PDB file of all heavy atoms in Angstrom:
ATOM      1  N   ALA A 238      81.537  89.632  94.484  1.00  0.00           N
ATOM      2  CA  ALA A 238      82.736  89.843  95.269  1.00  0.00           C
ATOM      3  C   ALA A 238      83.208  88.511  95.921  1.00  0.00           C
ATOM      4  O   ALA A 238      84.379  88.148  95.862  1.00  0.00           O
ATOM      5  CB  ALA A 238      82.501  90.880  96.355  1.00  0.00           C
ATOM      6  N   ILE A 239      82.242  87.752  96.515  1.00  0.00           N
ATOM      7  CA  ILE A 239      82.564  86.505  97.159  1.00  0.00           C
ATOM      8  C   ILE A 239      83.011  85.490  96.078  1.00  0.00           C
ATOM      9  O   ILE A 239      83.956  84.738  96.305  1.00  0.00           O
ATOM     10  CB  ILE A 239      81.349  85.952  97.888  1.00  0.00           C
ATOM     11  CG1 ILE A 239      80.998  86.827  99.112  1.00  0.00           C
ATOM     12  CG2 ILE A 239      81.582  84.515  98.343  1.00  0.00           C
ATOM     13  CD1 ILE A 239      82.063  86.850 100.178  1.00  0.00           C
ATOM     14  N   SER A 240      82.361  85.532  94.961  1.00  0.00           N
ATOM     15  CA  SER A 240      82.744  84.613  93.826  1.00  0.00           C
ATOM     16  C   SER A 240      84.159  84.841  93.354  1.00  0.00           C
ATOM     17  O   SER A 240      84.939  83.881  93.136  1.00  0.00           O
ATOM     18  CB  SER A 240      81.756  84.773  92.683  1.00  0.00           C
ATOM     19  OG  SER A 240      80.434  84.400  93.064  1.00  0.00           O
ATOM     20  N   LYS A 241      84.551  86.056  93.234  1.00  0.00           N
ATOM     21  CA  LYS A 241      85.909  86.422  92.805  1.00  0.00           C
ATOM     22  C   LYS A 241      86.920  85.969  93.812  1.00  0.00           C
ATOM     23  O   LYS A 241      87.949  85.363  93.436  1.00  0.00           O
ATOM     24  CB  LYS A 241      86.004  87.951  92.642  1.00  0.00           C
ATOM     25  CG  LYS A 241      87.359  88.401  92.088  1.00  0.00           C
ATOM     26  CD  LYS A 241      87.389  89.885  91.775  1.00  0.00           C
ATOM     27  CE  LYS A 241      88.709  90.327  91.171  1.00  0.00           C
ATOM     28  NZ  LYS A 241      88.725  91.784  90.886  1.00  0.00           N
ATOM     29  N   THR A 242      86.661  86.151  95.104  1.00  0.00           N
ATOM     30  CA  THR A 242      87.583  85.670  96.137  1.00  0.00           C
ATOM     31  C   THR A 242      87.656  84.147  96.139  1.00  0.00           C
ATOM     32  O   THR A 242      88.747  83.549  96.288  1.00  0.00           O
ATOM     33  CB  THR A 242      87.108  86.110  97.544  1.00  0.00           C
ATOM     34  OG1 THR A 242      86.983  87.575  97.520  1.00  0.00           O
ATOM     35  CG2 THR A 242      88.064  85.746  98.600  1.00  0.00           C
ATOM     36  N   LEU A 243      86.523  83.528  95.950  1.00  0.00           N
ATOM     37  CA  LEU A 243      86.450  82.042  95.943  1.00  0.00           C
ATOM     38  C   LEU A 243      87.299  81.474  94.762  1.00  0.00           C
ATOM     39  O   LEU A 243      88.010  80.487  94.947  1.00  0.00           O
ATOM     40  CB  LEU A 243      85.008  81.524  95.899  1.00  0.00           C
ATOM     41  CG  LEU A 243      84.767  80.045  95.991  1.00  0.00           C
ATOM     42  CD1 LEU A 243      83.447  79.764  96.718  1.00  0.00           C
ATOM     43  CD2 LEU A 243      84.726  79.382  94.598  1.00  0.00           C
ATOM     44  N   ILE A 244      87.153  82.091  93.603  1.00  0.00           N
ATOM     45  CA  ILE A 244      87.872  81.604  92.412  1.00  0.00           C
ATOM     46  C   ILE A 244      89.338  81.721  92.637  1.00  0.00           C
ATOM     47  O   ILE A 244      90.118  80.831  92.301  1.00  0.00           O
ATOM     48  CB  ILE A 244      87.421  82.379  91.161  1.00  0.00           C
ATOM     49  CG1 ILE A 244      85.989  82.018  90.824  1.00  0.00           C
ATOM     50  CG2 ILE A 244      88.342  82.064  89.984  1.00  0.00           C
ATOM     51  CD1 ILE A 244      85.345  82.907  89.795  1.00  0.00           C
ATOM     52  N   ALA A 245      89.818  82.845  93.197  1.00  0.00           N
ATOM     53  CA  ALA A 245      91.224  83.052  93.470  1.00  0.00           C
ATOM     54  C   ALA A 245      91.726  82.029  94.473  1.00  0.00           C
ATOM     55  O   ALA A 245      92.842  81.466  94.318  1.00  0.00           O
ATOM     56  CB  ALA A 245      91.443  84.488  93.977  1.00  0.00           C
ATOM     57  N   ASN A 246      90.983  81.771  95.530  1.00  0.00           N
ATOM     58  CA  ASN A 246      91.375  80.780  96.543  1.00  0.00           C
ATOM     59  C   ASN A 246      91.377  79.395  95.978  1.00  0.00           C
ATOM     60  O   ASN A 246      92.307  78.590  96.309  1.00  0.00           O
ATOM     61  CB  ASN A 246      90.440  80.892  97.727  1.00  0.00           C
ATOM     62  CG  ASN A 246      90.967  80.236  98.970  1.00  0.00           C
ATOM     63  OD1 ASN A 246      92.043  80.655  99.494  1.00  0.00           O
ATOM     64  ND2 ASN A 246      90.333  79.221  99.507  1.00  0.00           N
ATOM     65  N   SER A 247      90.492  79.085  95.101  1.00  0.00           N
ATOM     66  CA  SER A 247      90.435  77.777  94.468  1.00  0.00           C
ATOM     67  C   SER A 247      91.615  77.534  93.557  1.00  0.00           C
ATOM     68  O   SER A 247      92.166  76.403  93.501  1.00  0.00           O
ATOM     69  CB  SER A 247      89.128  77.605  93.664  1.00  0.00           C
ATOM     70  OG  SER A 247      87.988  77.693  94.476  1.00  0.00           O
ATOM     71  N   MET A 248      92.118  78.597  92.903  1.00  0.00           N
ATOM     72  CA  MET A 248      93.259  78.423  92.110  1.00  0.00           C
ATOM     73  C   MET A 248      94.482  78.154  92.937  1.00  0.00           C
ATOM     74  O   MET A 248      95.337  77.350  92.573  1.00  0.00           O
ATOM     75  CB  MET A 248      93.509  79.752  91.273  1.00  0.00           C
ATOM     76  CG  MET A 248      94.770  79.759  90.432  1.00  0.00           C
ATOM     77  SD  MET A 248      94.877  78.351  89.243  1.00  0.00           S
ATOM     78  CE  MET A 248      93.671  78.854  88.049  1.00  0.00           C
ATOM     79  N   LYS A 249      94.573  78.743  94.135  1.00  0.00           N
ATOM     80  CA  LYS A 249      95.684  78.491  95.034  1.00  0.00           C
ATOM     81  C   LYS A 249      95.669  76.986  95.426  1.00  0.00           C
ATOM     82  O   LYS A 249      96.704  76.357  95.542  1.00  0.00           O
ATOM     83  CB  LYS A 249      95.628  79.402  96.238  1.00  0.00           C
ATOM     84  CG  LYS A 249      95.899  80.883  95.978  1.00  0.00           C
ATOM     85  CD  LYS A 249      95.746  81.680  97.247  1.00  0.00           C
ATOM     86  CE  LYS A 249      95.936  83.159  96.967  1.00  0.00           C
ATOM     87  NZ  LYS A 249      95.775  83.996  98.229  1.00  0.00           N
ATOM     88  N   LEU A 250      94.473  76.506  95.778  1.00  0.00           N
ATOM     89  CA  LEU A 250      94.326  75.114  96.194  1.00  0.00           C
ATOM     90  C   LEU A 250      94.720  74.157  95.045  1.00  0.00           C
ATOM     91  O   LEU A 250      95.266  73.071  95.298  1.00  0.00           O
ATOM     92  CB  LEU A 250      92.893  74.849  96.619  1.00  0.00           C
ATOM     93  CG  LEU A 250      92.416  75.573  97.903  1.00  0.00           C
ATOM     94  CD1 LEU A 250      90.893  75.329  98.017  1.00  0.00           C
ATOM     95  CD2 LEU A 250      93.171  75.047  99.094  1.00  0.00           C
ATOM     96  N   THR A 251      94.424  74.592  93.812  1.00  0.00           N
ATOM     97  CA  THR A 251      94.745  73.744  92.665  1.00  0.00           C
ATOM     98  C   THR A 251      96.258  73.683  92.381  1.00  0.00           C
ATOM     99  O   THR A 251      96.796  72.632  92.131  1.00  0.00           O
ATOM    100  CB  THR A 251      94.018  74.260  91.419  1.00  0.00           C
ATOM    101  OG1 THR A 251      92.644  74.353  91.653  1.00  0.00           O
ATOM    102  CG2 THR A 251      94.298  73.322  90.224  1.00  0.00           C
ATOM    103  N   LEU A 252      96.871  74.840  92.504  1.00  0.00           N
ATOM    104  CA  LEU A 252      98.312  74.896  92.241  1.00  0.00           C
ATOM    105  C   LEU A 252      99.173  74.383  93.382  1.00  0.00           C
ATOM    106  O   LEU A 252     100.291  73.864  93.151  1.00  0.00           O
ATOM    107  CB  LEU A 252      98.711  76.342  91.907  1.00  0.00           C
ATOM    108  CG  LEU A 252      98.200  76.895  90.613  1.00  0.00           C
ATOM    109  CD1 LEU A 252      98.581  78.371  90.473  1.00  0.00           C
ATOM    110  CD2 LEU A 252      98.769  76.158  89.414  1.00  0.00           C
ATOM    111  N   HIS A 253      98.706  74.533  94.608  1.00  0.00           N
ATOM    112  CA  HIS A 253      99.504  74.187  95.798  1.00  0.00           C
ATOM    113  C   HIS A 253      98.741  73.363  96.761  1.00  0.00           C
ATOM    114  O   HIS A 253      98.452  73.797  97.937  1.00  0.00           O
ATOM    115  CB  HIS A 253     100.044  75.469  96.496  1.00  0.00           C
ATOM    116  CG  HIS A 253     100.668  76.453  95.564  1.00  0.00           C
ATOM    117  ND1 HIS A 253     101.865  76.228  94.918  1.00  0.00           N
ATOM    118  CD2 HIS A 253     100.227  77.655  95.100  1.00  0.00           C
ATOM    119  CE1 HIS A 253     102.182  77.271  94.168  1.00  0.00           C
ATOM    120  NE2 HIS A 253     101.180  78.137  94.236  1.00  0.00           N
ATOM    121  N   PRO A 254      98.354  72.123  96.392  1.00  0.00           N
ATOM    122  CA  PRO A 254      97.527  71.295  97.255  1.00  0.00           C
ATOM    123  C   PRO A 254      98.212  70.884  98.581  1.00  0.00           C
ATOM    124  O   PRO A 254      97.563  70.565  99.540  1.00  0.00           O
ATOM    125  CB  PRO A 254      97.244  70.068  96.404  1.00  0.00           C
ATOM    126  CG  PRO A 254      98.304  70.016  95.400  1.00  0.00           C
ATOM    127  CD  PRO A 254      98.662  71.445  95.128  1.00  0.00           C
ATOM    128  N   ASP A 255      99.591  70.874  98.538  1.00  0.00           N
ATOM    129  CA  ASP A 255     100.304  70.471  99.753  1.00  0.00           C
ATOM    130  C   ASP A 255     100.613  71.639 100.665  1.00  0.00           C
ATOM    131  O   ASP A 255     101.115  71.402 101.795  1.00  0.00           O
ATOM    132  CB  ASP A 255     101.638  69.806  99.351  1.00  0.00           C
ATOM    133  CG  ASP A 255     101.389  68.475  98.566  1.00  0.00           C
ATOM    134  OD1 ASP A 255     100.392  67.826  98.836  1.00  0.00           O
ATOM    135  OD2 ASP A 255     102.205  68.216  97.670  1.00  0.00           O
ATOM    136  N   ALA A 256     100.389  72.857 100.229  1.00  0.00           N
ATOM    137  CA  ALA A 256     100.750  74.028 101.003  1.00  0.00           C
ATOM    138  C   ALA A 256      99.690  74.330 102.011  1.00  0.00           C
ATOM    139  O   ALA A 256      98.517  73.914 101.885  1.00  0.00           O
ATOM    140  CB  ALA A 256     100.981  75.235 100.088  1.00  0.00           C
ATOM    141  N   ILE A 257     100.063  75.055 103.063  1.00  0.00           N
ATOM    142  CA  ILE A 257      99.122  75.490 104.068  1.00  0.00           C
ATOM    143  C   ILE A 257      98.592  76.857 103.631  1.00  0.00           C
ATOM    144  O   ILE A 257      99.287  77.867 103.700  1.00  0.00           O
ATOM    145  CB  ILE A 257      99.772  75.577 105.454  1.00  0.00           C
ATOM    146  CG1 ILE A 257     100.291  74.193 105.910  1.00  0.00           C
ATOM    147  CG2 ILE A 257      98.776  76.122 106.498  1.00  0.00           C
ATOM    148  CD1 ILE A 257     101.049  74.253 107.204  1.00  0.00           C
ATOM    149  N   ILE A 258      97.326  76.908 103.198  1.00  0.00           N
ATOM    150  CA  ILE A 258      96.725  78.106 102.704  1.00  0.00           C
ATOM    151  C   ILE A 258      95.779  78.616 103.688  1.00  0.00           C
ATOM    152  O   ILE A 258      94.923  77.952 104.235  1.00  0.00           O
ATOM    153  CB  ILE A 258      95.977  77.828 101.355  1.00  0.00           C
ATOM    154  CG1 ILE A 258      96.988  77.335 100.266  1.00  0.00           C
ATOM    155  CG2 ILE A 258      95.266  79.098 100.874  1.00  0.00           C
ATOM    156  CD1 ILE A 258      96.319  76.923  99.007  1.00  0.00           C
ATOM    157  N   ALA A 259      95.967  79.878 104.086  1.00  0.00           N
ATOM    158  CA  ALA A 259      95.102  80.511 105.113  1.00  0.00           C
ATOM    159  C   ALA A 259      93.697  80.532 104.722  1.00  0.00           C
ATOM    160  O   ALA A 259      93.364  80.843 103.543  1.00  0.00           O
ATOM    161  CB  ALA A 259      95.604  81.938 105.346  1.00  0.00           C
ATOM    162  N   PRO A 260      92.781  80.153 105.601  1.00  0.00           N
ATOM    163  CA  PRO A 260      91.315  80.146 105.246  1.00  0.00           C
ATOM    164  C   PRO A 260      90.817  81.544 105.034  1.00  0.00           C
ATOM    165  O   PRO A 260      91.322  82.530 105.561  1.00  0.00           O
ATOM    166  CB  PRO A 260      90.688  79.459 106.470  1.00  0.00           C
ATOM    167  CG  PRO A 260      91.640  79.761 107.570  1.00  0.00           C
ATOM    168  CD  PRO A 260      93.022  79.724 106.999  1.00  0.00           C
ATOM    169  N   VAL A 261      89.730  81.640 104.237  1.00  0.00           N
ATOM    170  CA  VAL A 261      89.090  82.903 103.965  1.00  0.00           C
ATOM    171  C   VAL A 261      87.669  82.829 104.509  1.00  0.00           C
ATOM    172  O   VAL A 261      86.730  82.397 103.775  1.00  0.00           O
ATOM    173  CB  VAL A 261      89.106  83.241 102.457  1.00  0.00           C
ATOM    174  CG1 VAL A 261      88.561  84.636 102.187  1.00  0.00           C
ATOM    175  CG2 VAL A 261      90.514  83.098 101.889  1.00  0.00           C
ATOM    176  N   PRO A 262      87.416  83.219 105.755  1.00  0.00           N
ATOM    177  CA  PRO A 262      86.097  82.994 106.413  1.00  0.00           C
ATOM    178  C   PRO A 262      84.945  83.600 105.691  1.00  0.00           C
ATOM    179  O   PRO A 262      83.837  83.093 105.678  1.00  0.00           O
ATOM    180  CB  PRO A 262      86.302  83.653 107.798  1.00  0.00           C
ATOM    181  CG  PRO A 262      87.801  83.620 107.969  1.00  0.00           C
ATOM    182  CD  PRO A 262      88.378  83.862 106.660  1.00  0.00           C
ATOM    183  N   GLU A 263      85.183  84.738 105.060  1.00  0.00           N
ATOM    184  CA  GLU A 263      84.029  85.420 104.388  1.00  0.00           C
ATOM    185  C   GLU A 263      83.422  84.667 103.251  1.00  0.00           C
ATOM    186  O   GLU A 263      82.247  84.848 102.867  1.00  0.00           O
ATOM    187  CB  GLU A 263      84.449  86.835 103.886  1.00  0.00           C
ATOM    188  CG  GLU A 263      85.580  86.900 102.885  1.00  0.00           C
ATOM    189  CD  GLU A 263      86.911  87.118 103.558  1.00  0.00           C
ATOM    190  OE1 GLU A 263      87.083  86.715 104.724  1.00  0.00           O
ATOM    191  OE2 GLU A 263      87.812  87.671 102.890  1.00  0.00           O
ATOM    192  N   ILE A 264      84.150  83.721 102.703  1.00  0.00           N
ATOM    193  CA  ILE A 264      83.642  82.908 101.590  1.00  0.00           C
ATOM    194  C   ILE A 264      82.489  82.036 102.092  1.00  0.00           C
ATOM    195  O   ILE A 264      81.486  81.839 101.390  1.00  0.00           O
ATOM    196  CB  ILE A 264      84.760  81.952 101.001  1.00  0.00           C
ATOM    197  CG1 ILE A 264      85.787  82.859 100.276  1.00  0.00           C
ATOM    198  CG2 ILE A 264      84.136  81.000 100.042  1.00  0.00           C
ATOM    199  CD1 ILE A 264      86.937  82.032  99.722  1.00  0.00           C
ATOM    200  N   TYR A 265      82.586  81.558 103.310  1.00  0.00           N
ATOM    201  CA  TYR A 265      81.605  80.619 103.843  1.00  0.00           C
ATOM    202  C   TYR A 265      80.588  81.282 104.815  1.00  0.00           C
ATOM    203  O   TYR A 265      79.713  80.587 105.386  1.00  0.00           O
ATOM    204  CB  TYR A 265      82.328  79.477 104.606  1.00  0.00           C
ATOM    205  CG  TYR A 265      83.466  78.872 103.820  1.00  0.00           C
ATOM    206  CD1 TYR A 265      84.773  79.283 104.120  1.00  0.00           C
ATOM    207  CD2 TYR A 265      83.248  78.033 102.792  1.00  0.00           C
ATOM    208  CE1 TYR A 265      85.818  78.752 103.362  1.00  0.00           C
ATOM    209  CE2 TYR A 265      84.304  77.506 102.003  1.00  0.00           C
ATOM    210  CZ  TYR A 265      85.619  77.885 102.341  1.00  0.00           C
ATOM    211  OH  TYR A 265      86.666  77.382 101.603  1.00  0.00           O
ATOM    212  N   ALA A 266      80.700  82.600 105.033  1.00  0.00           N
ATOM    213  CA  ALA A 266      79.905  83.255 106.030  1.00  0.00           C
ATOM    214  C   ALA A 266      78.402  83.257 105.753  1.00  0.00           C
ATOM    215  O   ALA A 266      77.601  83.020 106.651  1.00  0.00           O
ATOM    216  CB  ALA A 266      80.392  84.722 106.164  1.00  0.00           C
ATOM    217  N   THR A 267      78.010  83.463 104.503  1.00  0.00           N
ATOM    218  CA  THR A 267      76.600  83.568 104.187  1.00  0.00           C
ATOM    219  C   THR A 267      75.946  82.272 103.757  1.00  0.00           C
ATOM    220  O   THR A 267      74.822  81.925 104.160  1.00  0.00           O
ATOM    221  CB  THR A 267      76.356  84.606 103.063  1.00  0.00           C
ATOM    222  OG1 THR A 267      77.147  84.223 101.929  1.00  0.00           O
ATOM    223  CG2 THR A 267      76.799  85.970 103.568  1.00  0.00           C
ATOM    224  N   ASN A 268      76.678  81.447 102.977  1.00  0.00           N
ATOM    225  CA  ASN A 268      76.073  80.194 102.473  1.00  0.00           C
ATOM    226  C   ASN A 268      77.230  79.168 102.341  1.00  0.00           C
ATOM    227  O   ASN A 268      77.801  78.987 101.251  1.00  0.00           O
ATOM    228  CB  ASN A 268      75.391  80.421 101.110  1.00  0.00           C
ATOM    229  CG  ASN A 268      74.524  79.244 100.718  1.00  0.00           C
ATOM    230  OD1 ASN A 268      74.789  78.102 101.058  1.00  0.00           O
ATOM    231  ND2 ASN A 268      73.417  79.559  99.998  1.00  0.00           N
ATOM    232  N   ALA A 269      77.536  78.503 103.437  1.00  0.00           N
ATOM    233  CA  ALA A 269      78.725  77.643 103.481  1.00  0.00           C
ATOM    234  C   ALA A 269      78.583  76.424 102.531  1.00  0.00           C
ATOM    235  O   ALA A 269      79.511  76.078 101.862  1.00  0.00           O
ATOM    236  CB  ALA A 269      78.953  77.136 104.890  1.00  0.00           C
ATOM    237  N   ALA A 270      77.399  75.874 102.424  1.00  0.00           N
ATOM    238  CA  ALA A 270      77.167  74.696 101.576  1.00  0.00           C
ATOM    239  C   ALA A 270      77.378  75.002 100.131  1.00  0.00           C
ATOM    240  O   ALA A 270      78.073  74.253  99.408  1.00  0.00           O
ATOM    241  CB  ALA A 270      75.740  74.162 101.809  1.00  0.00           C
ATOM    242  N   SER A 271      76.811  76.102  99.673  1.00  0.00           N
ATOM    243  CA  SER A 271      77.004  76.502  98.267  1.00  0.00           C
ATOM    244  C   SER A 271      78.463  76.870  97.966  1.00  0.00           C
ATOM    245  O   SER A 271      78.980  76.585  96.903  1.00  0.00           O
ATOM    246  CB  SER A 271      76.096  77.698  97.960  1.00  0.00           C
ATOM    247  OG  SER A 271      74.709  77.328  98.005  1.00  0.00           O
ATOM    248  N   ALA A 272      79.057  77.546  98.939  1.00  0.00           N
ATOM    249  CA  ALA A 272      80.481  77.962  98.762  1.00  0.00           C
ATOM    250  C   ALA A 272      81.404  76.735  98.618  1.00  0.00           C
ATOM    251  O   ALA A 272      82.319  76.740  97.771  1.00  0.00           O
ATOM    252  CB  ALA A 272      80.943  78.838  99.930  1.00  0.00           C
TER     253      ALA A 272
END
């Protein structure tokens, strides 16, 4: 579940690097370094 959310968020960062994208705290909640 976390991996799916992370992939979707990474795609947004790739397509819109200049945009302000809302953070997704649950991605980093359990293992921030790996995320």
Side-chain angles (χ1 to χ4, degrees):
I239 293 297
S240 297
K241 184 175 182 179
T242 303
L243 185 148
I244 292 170
N246 197 61
S247 298
M248 176 57 73
K249 292 179 182 178
L250 293 171
T251 305
L252 292 175
H253 310 291
D255 297 327
I257 299 175
I258 299 175
V261 186
E263 58 265 30
I264 292 177
Y265 314 100
T267 56
N268 194 328
S271 294

